[in-house]
Amino acid sequence: MKRLLGFAGSLILLTAPVWADYQKGNQSLEFHFGPVGFSDDVKINNGDDTLRDCGGVGGLQYLYFLKGTPTLAVGPDILWSDLSELDQSSIAGYGASHGAAHTAIYQVMAKLVYPKGHWRPYVLGGLGASRSSIQGDVTAFSGESVQTFDSVRGGFAGSWGVGMDVFPREHWFLGLELRQTILSRLLHEPTEAGKALGIQPVRDPGAISAVMLKVGYKFGSN
């Protein structure tokens, strides 16, 4: 019975009227989130402490559709990624370290999408800027804590991606996207206290890759 109901639901979805063909003047607003991976670990002093390359990502995107056929949309896209790690530390005999990296990516995105149907594949690309920050500290077994990094830098960002939007309703859509972003390999200097411990500068990874689930709303002229 459950299989029969599932088949019937799928048949209704596939045969239902297609509501939301894209046209010039349409707009969309979406939220996306998922796991993110950096191209490299962030290693302090050749690996004494390591900020590993897996974390989370979330973002917002607004698009305005310039053309209906081919369907081309442009607009701002903001993405935030966060990595955080607690390690045993061998720096100066300290007991534990904590590190966190936050990267905000601000881009103008262009999206080329198939304009009709429930299932709408697309490709996209973008250019913009990034804001990268690294914070870190080490804590001795005695409880004494020293801040090792407190750095914020700005640089370049460029992205490409592929995905699929699914329209179960006239205006609402869900989706899945794979995106890779190339970043400037920014250099982060340790604090004065970190330098006193012999900690060396570190560079950001050169790229991040994200697999994101999406929920969005399409509005505007039809």
Side-chain angles (χ1 to χ4, degrees):
M1 184 66 178
K2 290 183 179 179
R3 290 183 180 180
L4 181 61
L5 290 174
F7 174 78
S10 299
L11 187 62
I12 291 171
L13 178 63
L14 291 174
T15 58
V18 176
W19 294 104
D21 293 0
Y22 285 124
Q23 299 178 23
K24 180 180 178 180
N26 287 161
Q27 301 168 66
S28 67
L29 182 66
E30 70 175 56
F31 171 70
H32 35 261
F33 61 94
V36 65
F38 274 41
S39 57
D40 303 286
D41 294 342
V42 177
K43 296 183 178 181
I44 310 299
N45 288 9
N46 298 317
D48 283 344
D49 297 339
T50 300
L51 186 59
R52 291 179 175 82
D53 63 356
C54 295
V57 69
L60 292 169
Q61 182 184 88
Y62 165 82
L63 294 176
Y64 179 84
F65 286 79
L66 300 174
K67 299 181 66 176
T69 306
T71 305
L72 177 65
V74 298
D77 182 279
I78 304 174
L79 201 66
W80 299 273
S81 70
D82 291 278
L83 306 177
S84 183
E85 195 75 38
L86 183 66
D87 293 304
Q88 292 299 310
S89 177
S90 59
I91 295 175
Y94 280 73
S97 70
H98 177 260
H102 310 282
T103 304
I105 302 168
Y106 308 95
Q107 297 180 97
V108 175
M109 199 70 68
K111 179 177 179 179
L112 183 65
V113 57
Y114 187 73
K116 59 182 64 178
H118 290 291
W119 306 85
R120 304 189 185 186
Y122 64 86
V123 296
L124 80 169
L127 291 174
S130 65
R131 180 184 183 274
S132 171
S133 67
I134 291 182
Q135 287 81 41
D137 59 78
V138 290
T139 302
F141 292 112
S142 64
E144 179 189 1
S145 180
V146 175
Q147 187 174 39
T148 54
F149 282 92
D150 186 18
S151 174
V152 179
R153 298 288 310 279
F156 164 84
S159 293
W160 67 270
V162 296
M164 178 74 73
D165 290 333
V166 182
F167 277 83
R169 294 291 185 269
E170 180 178 0
H171 295 288
W172 292 96
F173 62 91
L174 306 172
L176 180 68
E177 180 176 304
L178 170 63
R179 188 189 300 188
Q180 184 173 52
T181 301
I182 306 300
L183 302 169
S184 303
R185 297 202 66 220
L186 300 171
L187 184 68
H188 294 270
E189 296 282 349
T191 62
E192 292 301 320
K195 291 177 182 177
L197 293 175
I199 296 175
Q200 302 299 311
V202 299
R203 286 193 180 275
D204 285 332
I208 65 172
S209 298
V211 178
M212 297 182 291
L213 298 174
K214 313 189 308 168
V215 58
Y217 185 76
K218 175 241 180 206
F219 58 100
S221 303
N222 284 315

